[in-house]
Amino acid sequence: MGQSFTHSKGSVFRNRLSRRSFLKKSSFGTLSGVLASAELIPVEKAHLNTEAQRDEAIPCAVIGFGEWGREISKAIHELKDTELSVVCDHFPLMLRRVQRDFPTAKTEADYRNVLMDDSIKAVFVATPTHLHREIVIAALKAGKHVYCEAPLAHTIEDARAIAVAAKQAKGQIFQAGLLNRTEPQYRSVFGFVRSGALGKANMTRSQWHFKDSWRRTSSSGARTEELNWRLDDSVSLGLIGEIGIQQLDTCMWMNGQLPKSVSGFGSVSFWRDGRAVPDTVQAVIEFPNGENQLFDATLVSGFDAAYDLYFGSDSTIILRDNKAWMFKEVDAPQLGWEVYARKDRFYKETGIALLANATKLDSLGTDPTADDPNAKAPIWHAIKSFADNLNFGTLESIVNYQMAYEATVVAIKANEAIRSGSKIDFLPEWFSIDG
Amino acid sequence: MEAAQTIRLATHAMATRFEFVLNGEDPVQLRAAGEEALREINRIGKRFNYYDASSELSRVNREAFGQDLPVAGDLFELFQQCEWAWKVTKGAFDPTIGPLMRLWNFGNDRSQVPSQKDVTLALARTGWQHVVLDPKKTTVRFLKTDCEIDLGGIAKGWALDEARALLQQAGVQSGLIHGGTSSVIGIGTPPNENAWTVGIEDPYESLQAPSWFEKSYLKNAALSVSAIRGKSTTIGDIEYGHVINPANGMAISGPFVSIVEATRAVTADALSTALLAGFHIQRDFTDSTVTRADLFHKIESGWKLKFRS
């Protein structure tokens, strides 16, 4: 399996004319067209023939087996394009959990040994945010293709160092974990928004509500401290940085602009256990086109969970649980297709279901609130995108280092605004990875 | 030494309510431990949900026929537990009885018992003997095209066992955790007590006047109680419960309650379902992890022990 590849820095499996090479050559033109136009029209990419693929699955390593590292590992394990070869964590208990969840994967305590393993082609970094820099840069230097969780880092300096290293690593894939950009329903809504379905877009409202102390524990005191990095004021980007970055990035993507300023507020309103990191935050992200975003997140109330609302003069679109509905204004023009689309009641409103695969006739009868048998978690789509790029490319990532860096900068500054209760104007040079 | 404190947590998963009562010195750490365990229960609920077409279990049901389908290590372990329970109960516990469950359509109105023809057709699709597990590759394969697995009778217990492991790894030494009150684990003992005392309600008495007809005493042990009340269908004057005898495809009727205590909740869950399904656990059944396996029958004078393993 993994041993059948010989690693060669900066190249993608060039020592063997495999099926992957064949696909790459034969499909390059088609796929590059898809990727080039990705900002305009989201296109569902062709999936590879799934059989007879295990022998060429991409050998992958996951570094950091916390709750999210476990989800990444699960998706890699499920995908036929990828093989979960190694999982690395320096805490022995986590490696025992790896052995139980994924008996065929090897375990490793030191990430440097993973990077020295030539059979490993792709590395997924899911450590705490402040530990990304060292590992990502080392992985890129070792010639690995890298998937790095978002945010890239907890400081602009670290984020910039990662982005520069990714830019310099020619021929290597660098993809960041901004999940909505690779999620089919979000990509479909992106097409609606960009085609003017909202009329004059005017604002976005995003929320993330979950009742949880956000605290972690372990029988070991030192380990408990390590696990609670999200509540450590010196390294944590708080709710808006660690969670909200996904929704901030989506708004930047839909708007097609970088924000002008951010104003924030935050408080420890319920979990008064000595923490300084707020359990409830609000922020307004101002955009040059006036289509500002209101964001709030809380660990105090789980009411109404998480969603994004994109408002406009003709309609409003809600995205939640990777499903979407459109609510039209009474005076909005007919679009034509909505007559045939499924409608759902939301209190006094009627939502028109927006299905990512609506062009398929059979999907018109599908209840958008029901489970889609083909539904996959957003992380599955992110890794599928990464694997497709490796199989067909190497091309520029759908979520590249520049996008990840920009989102990280916004998250860092939004957290600063929340912590200081102030407004911060973005300086253009902050968004440049050259400084 | 600080005084023991008690915290309570709850979540909604697997169409029921899971609750924890945890004792310890530090309520902040107790809550953190409890939240991790609740998140795991939710995760298991989603992954092993028969009714969610995109769940891992549904994928197995769609794709395992005719191929060795690799599954996650913990799901494979759960399948092995199913196989063990199926064997020791001589088929009375069988997670492949989904077609029969849907035929009976419990909880919804039916005017008559399913026809023998329909039962026979559904029976032909059931049986764990059509499921092949390969421990070396952690794969599952169905030998019959329309075979499928429903973990409804065992997943709550499995989730509680996983929750207990996480709580204990985080240092919790005393707690009572349950899923829908029918599956319970006592971790350690309550402060100044020898065991957790759990009263078992008479499901045929009014909810306004609950009465315990039996009690269970748990110390690092699990309890599972099964009865047909709750999810049942009344046809004529007979109440048919949501437990089916896999041998003949008939739903269980009559006022029965099974009570099983075991080291692991997953074992207790499987055996309490099997007891209710009308089969005796094989007479020579012995398992050091099972400390009680009782089937009660309600007659006019009260509850009578019908069978004890």
Side-chain angles (χ1 to χ4, degrees), chain A residues 42-62:
Chain A
V43 179
E44 196 174 329
K45 286 181 291 176
H47 280 206
L48 303 176
N49 181 358
T50 52
E51 292 311 314
Q53 229 170 341
R54 278 275 164 195
D55 64 335
E56 288 195 37
I58 302 156
C60 299
V62 174

Side-chain angles (χ1 to χ4, degrees), chain A residues 67 70-71 74 77-78 93 97 100-101 103 212-213 215-219 224 271 273 371-373 375, chain B residues 28-29 31-33 35-36 39-40 43 51-54 56 62 72-74 77 158 162 166 169-170:
Chain A
E67 287 173 28
R70 190 182 182 196
E71 296 304 326
K74 180 170 170 282
H77 180 72
E78 281 175 6
L93 173 65
R97 290 184 185 176
R100 182 164 179 248
D101 284 358
D212 188 276
S213 72
R215 191 169 281 286
R216 303 292 186 261
T217 193
S218 154
S219 53
T224 299
W271 300 110
D273 52 10
D371 303 305
D372 173 359
Chain B
V28 173
Q29 300 304 329
R31 173 167 287 281
E35 285 173 344
E36 183 188 14
R39 283 194 298 272
E40 182 62 16
R43 186 172 185 268
Y51 297 97
D52 177 351
S54 63
E56 269 174 83
R62 274 197 308 275
D74 55 348
E77 267 183 46
W158 173 267
E162 295 296 296
L166 290 172
Q169 283 167 12

